[in-house]
Amino acid sequence: MRKPFIAGNWKMFKNVTEARQLVSELVPELAPFTSVERVLCPPFTSLLAVRALLEGTGIGLGAQNLHWEESGAYTGEIAPYMLSEFCQYVIIGHSERRAYFGETDETVNKKVKAALSHDLIPIVCVGETLVENEAGETAQVVKRQVESGLAGVTLSDWSKLVVAYEPVWAIGTGKAATADGANQVVGEYIRPILANTLGINAASLIRILYGGSVKGSNAGEFFSKSDIDGALVGGASLKAGDFTQIVQAAG
Ligand code: PGA
């Protein structure tokens, strides 16, 4: 019922030359997997070059951030309408943005609303830190992040929202969550919270991804779980072969 969704978050890697190289390797490799929604999220500087190479391939393009204002004197920021000219997706509230760039549940919420109002599909990231995990606070952290991140969002097209559960301790550490543990957070906490706020129907349509040290060798186990609909992939999205293996596992 929910189409599998795999997004590659390139973070601050790849200049335009490197991006073109990676995408030209990826396009033929990803071509067979049309049953999977495949999305690449390069840095802003490579969006145009990547978009040209993705034209007609069925592979989507996403940004890694946006500003919530329509336009204005915000040096260094990128407005939603600038992205919606050529992107379909945008990652919002990644834990690196929360940890290093002062993003809060409140700014995440503003960004989610701004994205939706410009027809950009937000990939909203939530997840607990190691300290919170060890203190047994996962459920409450995730609840707060989902509820405040999506507060007051009233657009009808809920199926367009994507949520990524990314425990901070699993990101870039090589220490992924267990598939059962991730499925529990998604199925017992996140989806029920979505059902409470948006209704059961909407909650059953929303794709919820797992992210944090996903690779070819563990992807299949995550995707075999009932509530995990795909992955947000960091490190393993930077090599065509690795990313393709993950997409294949979702197909
Ligand atoms: P990772 O990153 O796959 O390198 O752990 C995931 C992410 O940050 O989205």
Side-chain angles (χ1 to χ4, degrees), residues 9 11 94 96 166 170-173 211-214 232-236:
N9 171 14
K11 308 194 180 187
H94 190 280
E96 287 151 14
E166 298 208 306
I171 295 176
T173 58
S213 298
V214 175
L232 181 56
V233 184

Side-chain angles (χ1 to χ4, degrees), residues 97-149:
R97 301 228 39 101
R98 294 178 191 253
Y100 309 138
F101 303 100
E103 294 205 7
T104 62
D105 292 335
E106 196 192 358
T107 58
V108 168
N109 183 239
K110 288 182 181 179
K111 291 180 180 201
V112 169
K113 289 182 192 160
L116 284 169
S117 70
H118 285 272
D119 285 329
L120 289 162
I121 298 176
I123 303 171
V124 186
C125 302
V126 299
E128 81 286 3
T129 63
L130 184 60
V131 172
E132 291 163 339
N133 181 281
E134 287 174 347
E137 292 169 3
T138 300
Q140 79 192 66
V141 169
V142 162
K143 181 176 191 305
R144 191 202 71 226
Q145 290 177 334
V146 174
E147 283 179 349
S148 358

